[in-house]
Amino acid sequence: MTYISEPEAIGEALLEIVGPEGIIPLEMQWAYTVDGLSPAIVVQPASVEEVSKVIGLASRWGLGVIPWGGGTMMGLGNRPHRYDIALDMRRLNQVIEHEPADLTITVEAGTTVKELQARLAAYGQRVALDPPWPDRATVGGTLATGIAGPARWRLGHPRDTIIGIKVVMPDGRIAKAGGKVVKNVAGYDLCKLYIGSLGTLAVIVEATFKLVPTPRSQRVVACSLPTFKQACGLAKELQWRLLPIDSLWMEWDGGPCVLVCRLAGSPGAVSRSLEELDALARQYSGAEAQPLERWPEVVSSPPVAERLVLRVSVLPSRLVACLEALTALEPELMVALPLAGVAYARWPAEASTPNILQNAFQAVATYDGILVIHQCPFKYKEGRDVFGWRPPAQPMMKEIKRRWDPKGTLSPGRFVAHL
Amino acid sequence: MSPFYGTGRRHRPLCYTGPVNRKPLRDLENIVGKRWVLSHPEELLAYEYDATIERSLPMAVVLPGSAQEVAQVMQVANRWGIPVVARGAGTGLSGGAVPCRGSIVISTSRLNRILQIDPDNALAVVEPGVLNVDVSKAAAPYGLYYAPDPSSQKACTIGGNIAENAGGPHCLRYGTTTNHVLAVEVATAQGELMWLGSPLADAPGYDLTGVIVGSEGTLAIVTKAVLRLLPKPPAVITILAIFQEVEEASEAVSGIIAQGIVPAALEMLDRSAIEAVEGYIRAGYPPEAGAVLLIEVEGVEEEAHGEAQQVVAICREMNARDIRLGFTPEERERLWAGRKAALGALGRLAPHFYILDGVVPRTKLPQIMHQVYEICRRYGLQVANVLHAGDGNLHPNILFNESDPEAVRRVVECAAEILKACVEVGGSISGEHGIGYEKRNYMPWIFSRDDLEVMRLLKEAWDPRYLLNPQKIFPSAASPEDIAVPMRDITARLGPEAEI
Ligand SMILES: Cc1cc2nc3c(=O)[nH]c(=O)nc-3n(C[C@H](O)[C@H](O)[C@H](O)COP(=O)(O)OP(=O)(O)OC[C@H]3O[C@@H](n4cnc5c(N)ncnc54)[C@H](O)[C@@H]3O)c2cc1C
Ligand SMILES: Cc1cc2nc3c(=O)[nH]c(=O)nc-3n(C[C@H](O)[C@H](O)[C@H](O)COP(=O)(O)OP(=O)(O)OC[C@H]3O[C@@H](n4cnc5c(N)ncnc54)[C@H](O)[C@@H]3O)c2cc1C
């Protein structure tokens, strides 16, 4: 293996692959910093073949590559061991195949979720991805992150919606898994492996989704409830009655809990469910369900690296107690998905961060939960694993990373247990 | 497992005939007790098959009573380098549980406890030998159920469902097994117990549960599973639509999907299947009908009724000659009876039948149905079709008599041609039954060498010595005693890419 440390030599070789339009000018490179590290070069390939060549070259030269989509979730992960090339995927933004009557679509990974949904909306369809900043978030980044938000109850997790995938392996080979039919058990379901892998196993270049119809009518309402217990109780009741809930989440910023719910379906079902919800809300808190004009964006401000955001997963039955324990640490905002047992808590990042971290880890452990540092100034990442949790299957994860990426080409060190 | 569905079994000179090494047997007996190790040929006979036409005898069968024992059995197998094949109920339809020569079969029949039903978090924790239907039964008192409902649900096990990523009529709306398994405990090839995944949402780490589901017992042995339960829907309506022609029914399916309606279930039976059913249980399907569709919609009252109206309108537009609705559980049960009895009924038409499991994009359904009939006609074989039509998943059942070896050969060849036709219209060779022995040599029809090599990375990460269910999923090497050889020369004739 030749080791080339000269950025100029790397640059020339990459220039040959992606052409001048595929190299991001030096003065724009600051935008590609990850945890305080800057890449030597930023490339924007325009085709799967170019991605394959870039990765193949990086692998041969022992370089570290980090894929970039919209960059909305780059704060998540451990500090990379090595970062030479930023691989901006956003020029791969073509629809490869859309067969509306089959309810399937294949798109390139750099397509933004908003573009994708807009195209589908014209056919009365949508894909079950609902990331907070859809105009920036890309399909590839959303899959590689693999977190479901408030829409998970109805639409499920991104893993449940993908039926086929094409990736570039860490040695540059192109491989696919799954297909374009909605039901398929031929071969191992490798789609699952790439979802949530944060770009540490392969670069996602294409994905095929099954689609769902756009609901004919939808209404958003908010109910204000005095306690977490009441808000979670109401959420649970809605779940058990199987009301057509498209999205559901709870927000708290020191005052009462606000349970926000989007009902979607046929007009008859939505208006009848709205009545049921309103009656339930009165029963729970005496307050009625207030209509909202639009779906508020969860943690709606764009990601600011200077904040501390923690993500908690517990069994839904333990969520209330866990949220109560976290309030003692005085977060400025908490957003919870009561049906899933997931919560996000946010603090302005200050000197007290290590303290908050320590107490939060303790609190969550009491409820057998998992705490992930979702976002924080990178100096606090030093010397710790932001994923907190060591999965019991960590040895197998390590083995998989080793076999997929023996040279540590892709996002080395970013994943769970610094894989 | 009773062979009520009448698939043919043939003997192949593949059973283990070499000397039995008693030493590994003694090691196994020390773990599970003498009683739970079977090695007499007559005892082994009950374990040589699944619901396909393949058979082969193992060296021994072990029936462990706990996850720890499974792990210890794996350690023994590892020490002696003996392959291991896990076995649930043996209802598999791709030869997955058919033992390879001289292997140890681990039967999960004693691992049949439901360990926990947690209604607050809508979870069930079960052992792998638990029958699918028993999970829903145990959850019913809490108003919950387990959604994946393979037609074999009264006989098949959760372990087998996980290994095959089993589907069922209601998977159209709720997804297959993979969407309902949150975590599994496995015994690895090295004999360690390990939990994968987590009942907690968004637990960080590679989604190893996701790759174990559908891995056909080739990566690890499932010893416990955490399953997601769902609340029962408040309103369910079943619609039976009767058509004169299969084309009209297929068009109605495409029409429903294209309209953006996702029913809970959307099943189809063609004329031969209807005839069989009527001769068997009198489900009230007109025997001269070309096809029936069985459609179920559910949700809150308004949702179900709205969708039912739309579905009925589309079926009428496609010339449905009769439409019946079921609202009460009894009415619905009556409409479903014919579908549920379909495979059992086919046994009346011929001594044996061979079930295929192709999938096509849903718009290609009318075209592929036409091709299925055409191909079978060419081979002079009768076919009865039962389809999870809403998913584009077809089960042509080719009828034959296994006492005629020439017929068996024709059936396998005909089946291969049908699957190839599915692939050619953008589909796949298995929707829910798995690749197993049966279809492994067709894998290169849909996957490139690189695709398969990446799958091998996964296999080797888990099982570098290829001890777990060898000879499954991956295309066969050219060894003369290989069980899949007859298929291989057939596939070779179907195209050069049929072999790697
Ligand atoms: C409160 C909250 C709610 C959310 N709700 C939802 C939701 O409902 N549904 C949902 O789907 N998501 C949801 N998300 C997460 C969402 O997935 C991400 O915010 C976003 O979609 C990431 O997209 P991106 O293009 O900006 O990725 P980036 O920030 O660019 O990348 C994210 C990660 O993926 C890697 N990556 C990027 N592109 C690729 C590629 N092509 N191949 C391999 N790796 C790649 C990067 O290296 C990085 O590690 C939620 C997040 C939060 C905080
Ligand atoms: C009449 C009939 C109807 C059917 N209908 C359907 C249907 O609607 N949908 C559908 O999907 N399938 C259907 N099937 C196929 C079959 O029932 C399923 O594939 C089922 O999941 C197999 O379960 P089993 O317990 O019988 O597994 P087996 O046949 O015993 O084994 C199947 C595979 O699972 C592996 N395995 C078993 N237990 C474990 C374990 N604990 N750990 C790891 N691997 C394990 C075996 O090694 C083998 O590879 C039907 C079969 C019949 C006979």
Side-chain angles (χ1 to χ4, degrees), chain B residues 284-343:
Chain B
Y285 301 167
E288 72 288 356
V292 297
L293 290 184
L294 203 61
I295 306 151
E296 197 149 273
V297 291
E298 56 188 47
V300 293
E301 201 84 26
E302 288 75 1
E303 208 179 0
H305 280 272
E307 284 193 353
Q309 271 169 8
Q310 282 179 282
V311 165
V312 167
I314 294 168
C315 290
R316 286 212 194 294
E317 218 170 284
M318 296 300 164
N319 285 331
R321 45 177 267 201
D322 192 9
I323 293 176
R324 299 175 203 162
L325 298 175
F327 297 94
T328 66
E330 297 74 38
E331 289 168 355
R332 298 197 301 103
E333 196 57 41
R334 217 169 307 133
L335 296 178
W336 272 103
R339 166 66 184 91
K340 294 205 167 143
L343 291 185

Side-chain angles (χ1 to χ4, degrees), chain A residues 247-266:
Chain A
S247 254
L248 182 86
W249 59 289
M250 193 172 87
E251 192 178 301
W252 174 89
D253 58 4
C257 292
V258 182
L259 189 70
V260 184
C261 181
R262 183 167 68 198
L263 292 159
S266 69

Side-chain angles (χ1 to χ4, degrees), chain A residues 183 185, chain B residues 1-2 4-5 7 49-51 84-98 106-108 111 127-131 149-153 155-169 171 176-177 186 212 215-224 267 339-340 343-344 353 355 357 388 393 395 431-434 436 468-469 472:
Chain A
K183 204 169 163 197
V185 296
Chain B
M1 178 67 211
S2 91
F4 64 89
Y5 36 84
T7 49
Y49 61 85
D50 66 356
V84 170
V85 180
R87 181 182 184 88
T91 70
L93 286 169
S94 55
V98 176
I106 296 186
S107 162
T108 58
L111 300 170
E127 290 188 324
V130 167
L131 300 187
D149 58 342
S151 312
S152 52
Q153 68 182 153
C156 64
T157 66
I158 292 296
N161 291 172
I162 290 175
E164 303 291 11
N165 188 11
C171 292
T176 52
T177 301
V186 296
I212 285 291
S215 65
E216 307 194 16
T218 63
L219 299 182
I221 298 187
V222 176
T223 51
K224 287 189 190 74
E267 304 279 302
R339 166 66 184 91
K340 294 205 167 143
L343 291 185
F353 60 89
I355 309 181
D357 180 36
H388 303 301
N393 185 191
H395 294 322
E432 55 180 24
H433 295 165
L468 281 167
N469 216 359
K472 310 293 163 74

Side-chain angles (χ1 to χ4, degrees), chain B residues 20-30 76 79-80:
Chain B
V20 175
N21 185 345
R22 298 298 311 175
K23 282 194 196 136
L25 292 182
R26 223 158 300 130
D27 287 353
L28 295 173
E29 285 166 2
N30 286 339
V76 170
R79 196 171 327 126
W80 292 96

Side-chain angles (χ1 to χ4, degrees), chain A residues 329-343:
Chain A
L329 303 176
E330 301 179 332
E332 58 179 6
L333 178 72
M334 287 206 286
V335 171
L337 313 176
L339 304 181
V342 171

Side-chain angles (χ1 to χ4, degrees), chain B residues 11-78:
Chain B
H11 256 303
R12 296 235 173 93
L14 290 166
C15 49
Y16 185 69
T17 46
V20 175
N21 185 345
R22 298 298 311 175
K23 282 194 196 136
L25 292 182
R26 223 158 300 130
D27 287 353
L28 295 173
E29 285 166 2
N30 286 339
I31 296 165
V32 297
K34 223 175 155 71
R35 201 176 145 204
W36 303 117
V37 179
L38 314 178
S39 60
H40 291 298
E42 58 275 23
E43 292 173 321
L44 296 181
L45 277 177
Y47 296 86
E48 66 168 351
Y49 61 85
D50 66 356
T52 56
I53 56 180
E54 313 293 343
R55 322 172 114 179
S56 159
L57 274 183
M59 175 186 91
V61 176
V62 199
L63 297 97
S66 68
Q68 284 74 17
E69 287 183 5
V70 175
Q72 286 171 311
V73 169
M74 280 313 306
Q75 287 163 14
V76 170
N78 209 28

Side-chain angles (χ1 to χ4, degrees), chain A residues 48-90:
Chain A
V48 174
E49 289 66 36
E50 286 183 13
V51 174
S52 158
K53 284 186 188 151
V54 169
I55 301 291
L57 178 144
S59 159
R60 280 195 303 282
W61 288 0
L63 305 174
V65 181
I66 298 186
W68 277 73
T72 66
M73 210 41 63
M74 292 306 297
L76 177 62
N78 287 312
R79 205 160 181 223
H81 293 331
R82 169 155 207 144
Y83 183 22
D84 304 286
I85 302 175
L87 182 74
D88 185 331
M89 295 294 292
R90 286 175 296 181

Side-chain angles (χ1 to χ4, degrees), chain B residues 112-314:
Chain B
N112 59 358
R113 284 160 292 222
I114 293 178
L115 301 174
Q116 192 193 357
I117 300 282
D118 174 355
D120 288 336
N121 297 301
L123 304 175
V125 185
V126 304
E127 290 188 324
V130 167
L131 300 187
N132 173 297
V133 74
D134 287 342
V135 181
S136 288
K137 271 192 202 152
Y142 308 99
L144 295 165
Y145 75 110
Y146 177 62
D149 58 342
S151 312
S152 52
Q153 68 182 153
K154 287 185 182 147
C156 64
T157 66
I158 292 296
N161 291 172
I162 290 175
E164 303 291 11
N165 188 11
H170 288 82
C171 292
L172 175 56
R173 172 136 176 193
Y174 297 101
T176 52
T177 301
T178 189
N179 297 3
H180 302 273
V181 180
L182 301 174
V184 287
E185 182 198 58
V186 296
T188 64
Q190 295 76 31
E192 282 167 53
L193 287 179
M194 194 186 267
W195 271 101
L196 316 176
S198 164
L200 308 186
D202 296 335
Y206 298 134
D207 183 2
L208 300 183
T209 312
V211 294
I212 285 291
V213 177
S215 65
E216 307 194 16
T218 63
L219 299 182
I221 298 187
V222 176
T223 51
K224 287 189 190 74
V226 183
L227 310 175
R228 184 206 313 277
L229 302 173
L230 297 180
K232 289 203 185 118
V236 185
I237 303 172
T238 305
I239 302 153
L240 178 76
I242 297 161
F243 294 84
Q244 199 62 46
E245 300 298 335
V246 90
E247 288 76 22
E248 294 165 348
S250 311
E251 295 287 353
V253 172
S254 297
I256 291 167
I257 299 297
Q259 280 281 305
I261 303 167
V262 184
L266 174 40
E267 304 279 302
M268 181 162 124
L269 276 73
D270 76 351
R271 177 170 292 144
S272 298
I274 294 169
E275 270 169 22
V277 165
E278 280 311 301
Y280 187 51
I281 61 150
R282 306 211 172 284
Y285 301 167
E288 72 288 356
V292 297
L293 290 184
L294 203 61
I295 306 151
E296 197 149 273
V297 291
E298 56 188 47
V300 293
E301 201 84 26
E302 288 75 1
E303 208 179 0
H305 280 272
E307 284 193 353
Q309 271 169 8
Q310 282 179 282
V311 165
V312 167
I314 294 168

